[in-house]
Amino acid sequence: MQSKKLQQLPPYLFAEIDAKKKVVAAKGIDLIDLSIGDPDIPTHGHIIDALCNAARKPKNHRYPPYNGIKKFREAASEYMAHKRKVRLSSETEILTLIGSKEGIAHVPFVLADPGDVILVPSPGYPVYTAASILAGCIPYEMPLKKENKFLPDLAAIPKDVLKKARVLFINYPNNPTAATANFDFFEETVAFAHRHNLVICHDAAYIEVAYDNYQAPSIFEINGAIDVAVEFHSLSKTYNMTGWRLGFAAGNKEALAAIGKFKANIDSSATAFVQEAGAIALTGNQSCVYETCEIFKKRRDILVSALNKSGWDVTAPQATFYIWAEIPRAAKTKDSKKFATAVLEKTGVVITPGVGFGTYGEGSVRFSLTSPTDRIEEAVHRLSGLV
Ligand SMILES: *Cc1c(COP(=O)(O)O)cnc(C)c1O
């Protein structure tokens, strides 16, 4: 019954993992899930209060404007100005999204035509590739290699590929490698996009999930970025709001108008009272963000030091709640699916095989820090001496 395009999609990574989890759980093994990037910490109370108040207002029971309610777009613009020193018009340079995944998935449909190339990082967030295939475009995997600090080597993209490319996806702080990018990289990427007529789509889902005083840059801190770039922001990871479904796109107004036109034909924006609460999240007291990061940081240190003690070679990342780890030499296999399955069967700890994020993710696995700290301690205990 499925269309040819749908049949072309690889099986959804977490559906495969779920099936294996069920088999192991049925044997009575206690599972510790370190596979999914979904914070266990609840949304802060002041944001929930704002939601309850907003839900009582009858105007919020009606359709919101297609591009989002004014209050949320203004809050997003204020956030960009205050935290990122970037001035963006709340009317034309901010667009409300029903979670950033939604906006990201529209990109190949609205900024490219069937047969065009979309440049995607590998390993990378699977939505870039899946959406490209669904739009009839051709995803081209740019390898993110450890020796290049997990940054794509733009000069290595073949000329004929580049000629057909319309969009360049980047994502820093990065999922799944937890790598960060500095100003030089963003500057080079902006210059590259100008030279080759590309739209940069920068996925900034983890821009606020940072440690040790590290501040991740917005691409708009680079001169000329606004002419060639869209940045995708999400409230999910910053404020522990994955279930609320709220984000925004910021940047180039023609690109935003294109996404907005597409959206107006298929959805009617995020729920108005969720947007109103989101405005409070973005402009209210930010200490909840700091508190969340402190929790992740503690978990990061527990996991990193334990892995290093038991034969892995990992460094503590400056951002994101992931640990990206090469499968240790001593392991019987370098096949990330086989390895993750063996870890699950032996220990009940669920980790994500790197190949699920693309060809160049093979040989590594991803640990997520979004389970309670005592469960991470228990996982560490079970993993010690495994390889
Ligand atoms: C979680 C995640 C998103 C999606 O976030 P939502 O706003 O919840 O849709 C986008 N990109 C990356 C890299 C993510 O990890």
Side-chain angles (χ1 to χ4, degrees), residues 76-94:
S77 165
E78 196 181 315
Y79 158 84
M80 292 298 286
H82 176 69
K83 276 211 146 165
R84 305 282 151 200
K85 314 262 176 303
V86 173
R87 303 229 156 256
L88 296 171
S89 153
S90 62
E91 284 300 321
T92 55
E93 292 169 327
I94 302 281

Side-chain angles (χ1 to χ4, degrees), residues 31-47:
L31 295 183
I32 304 176
D33 197 339
L34 305 185
S35 71
I36 295 181
D38 186 1
D40 57 304
I41 306 160
T43 310
H44 200 270
H46 77 284
I47 304 170

Side-chain angles (χ1 to χ4, degrees), residues 17-29 31 344-345:
I17 296 175
D18 274 348
K20 286 192 180 134
K21 268 162 60 178
K22 268 195 196 131
V23 173
V24 174
K27 292 182 189 157
I29 296 171
L31 295 183
L344 172 62
E345 285 168 353

Side-chain angles (χ1 to χ4, degrees), residues 111-113 115-120 137-140 142 157-169 192-193 195-200:
L111 297 178
D113 288 299
D116 288 345
V117 168
I118 310 290
L119 303 168
V120 302
C137 299
I138 302 156
Y140 177 83
M142 303 178 290
I157 302 167
K159 276 206 181 72
D160 55 327
V161 172
L162 206 46
K163 226 185 260 167
K164 287 202 262 168
R166 299 265 80 88
V167 173
L168 166 63
F169 274 108
F192 186 81
R195 256 197 325 276
H196 298 285
N197 244 328
L198 298 167
V199 181
I200 302 169

Side-chain angles (χ1 to χ4, degrees), residues 39-42 44 83-84 173 205-216 236-240 286-302 317-322 369-370 373:
D40 57 304
I41 306 160
H44 200 270
K83 276 211 146 165
R84 305 282 151 200
Y206 297 94
I207 197 163
E208 299 294 344
V209 186
Y211 314 113
D212 312 321
N213 296 321
Y214 174 70
Q215 258 256 23
S236 290
K237 317 291 165 56
T238 307
Y239 302 103
N240 302 317
Q286 299 297 299
S287 56
C288 58
V289 179
Y290 178 77
E291 285 157 22
T292 298
C293 290
E294 284 298 296
I295 295 171
F296 289 140
K297 183 177 152 172
K298 191 174 156 207
R299 296 174 182 175
R300 173 198 74 173
D301 293 340
I302 292 170
Q318 282 182 299
T320 79
F321 42 59
Y322 301 113
L369 302 171
T370 55
T373 310

Side-chain angles (χ1 to χ4, degrees), residues 350-380:
V350 193
I351 54 177
T352 317
V355 74
F357 299 101
T359 312
Y360 299 95
E362 187 54 299
S364 296
V365 290
R366 191 191 74 176
F367 294 83
S368 166
L369 302 171
T370 55
S371 278
T373 310
D374 60 333
R375 299 298 280 163
I376 291 185
E377 279 166 345
E378 169 64 20
V380 154

